[in-house]
Amino acid sequence: MKKYIIQDYPFTIRHLVKEEGGGYQIEYPDLPGCISDGESVNETIKNGRDAIQSWIETAEELGRPIPQP
């Protein structure tokens, strides 16, 4: 199993307006569909790291390729 450095994956964070539930959303463009959210920027980044870990584990289980950052 190859080791992936979660912090190397670039991300974007955007503020969610009240109609979207508020808080922030993080998205990792190198990992299609890998997104998360949180109430603060720090919480959003923490949740995003958990999302990456889950994304990579699922891809490995399914035998799918994992893009490099």
Side-chain angles (χ1 to χ4, degrees), residues 6 13 24-28 34-55:
I6 291 173
I13 292 183
Y24 299 87
Q25 177 182 312
I26 190 167
E27 183 173 5
Y28 296 87
C34 186
I35 60 172
S36 191
D37 63 6
E39 292 297 316
S40 68
V41 171
N42 286 339
E43 179 183 357
T44 302
I45 291 170
K46 179 186 175 296
N47 293 345
R49 289 181 179 159
D50 291 341
I52 286 178
Q53 187 66 39
S54 295
W55 194 102

